[in-house]
Amino acid sequence: MKRIAFNLMAWTIVLVTAFPLIWMVITSVKPQFELFRIPPTFWPEEITFEHYRRLLWETPFLLFMRNSLILSFSTTVLVVGVATLGAHSLVRFRYPGRERLAQLVLFTYLLPSVVLILPLYLMMVWLGVANSLLSLVIAYTSFALPYALWLLRSFMQGIPDDLESAALVDGATRMEAFFDVILPQALPGIISTSLFTFILSWNEYLYALVLVNTDSARPLTTGVMSMLVSSFNIEWSLLMAASVMMSVPLIIIFAVLQKYLTRGFGAGGVKG
């Protein structure tokens, strides 16, 4: 009876949490005349993909998706590359101020993101990269890197020092030991950190709204809102279709990398 009660409670929570997503998918395939029917209907009388056709062929949605993919992948590669090397340095090397540096890295992550908008915007203008995807890559890196570095640092603390020492004794250089021994052991943590960074870059809205104001460089989060929402009207059917399309890449990536995500966050709590 306890197991049945626990399962019922768990499935109730899952259904309540997933209901907005289910409603979003169903609404995206409803005909326009059913969206404002009173009383509202849950299942559509007929299924139509007209909203998806209009979204892909009559709006700049694909341009915004391309921008988001470039932005998210670029930020992920940059953040994970720097965080992996930095975490290895904080764990394996001894130098003055190492622990204080690690604490400062975490402190920068605790700063509210809105505090950094004005300094970052002025810096982008000074560098001449304002209103471009590069400005968003730099901005996203500024707040994704501290958490990625802290997460990978905790994960690498769980890798025994003896593995790298054995490789060095066998004649490997420091870089060979890092690529051949440390990286394979740290792969689950690197993948989970990459997934976190990608999702953060894909869903970010505030920086994209402030730093970019041209359609050629807008990501999906701000592009869809500027495209479908105006002062007097909201294209609900297209907005639901766009929301579904925006969720598909994340669902696919999460489904493929879910086991690495669980393993990485679980191992990241191990202290050496």
Side-chain angles (χ1 to χ4, degrees), residues 204-241:
E204 205 284 326
Y205 179 80
L206 181 61
Y207 281 80
L209 180 65
V210 174
L211 298 180
V212 173
N213 54 25
T214 59
D215 288 344
S216 60
R218 290 185 194 273
L220 280 171
T221 48
T222 56
V224 168
M225 296 302 293
S226 65
M227 176 180 66
L228 301 178
V229 179
S230 63
S231 302
F232 305 101
N233 183 38
I234 300 178
E235 293 278 355
W236 289 108
S237 55
L238 291 180
L239 186 59
M240 293 298 103

Side-chain angles (χ1 to χ4, degrees), residues 72-139:
S72 299
F73 277 112
S74 301
T75 304
T76 301
V77 171
L78 179 60
V79 167
V80 173
V82 175
T84 303
L85 296 174
H88 183 259
S89 170
L90 291 173
V91 171
R92 289 292 185 263
F93 297 100
R94 301 290 186 268
Y95 47 85
R98 185 186 61 154
E99 292 299 326
R100 183 59 56 87
L101 177 61
Q103 295 172 0
L104 289 176
V105 166
L106 182 62
F107 175 75
T108 58
Y109 180 73
L110 300 178
L111 290 175
S113 59
V114 68
V115 175
L116 302 175
I117 288 182
L118 183 57
L120 280 173
Y121 180 77
L122 295 177
M123 185 181 71
M124 301 306 171
V125 173
W126 180 72
L127 293 174
V129 297
N131 205 26
S132 66
L133 285 178
L134 179 58
S135 65
L136 291 181
V137 171
I138 297 174

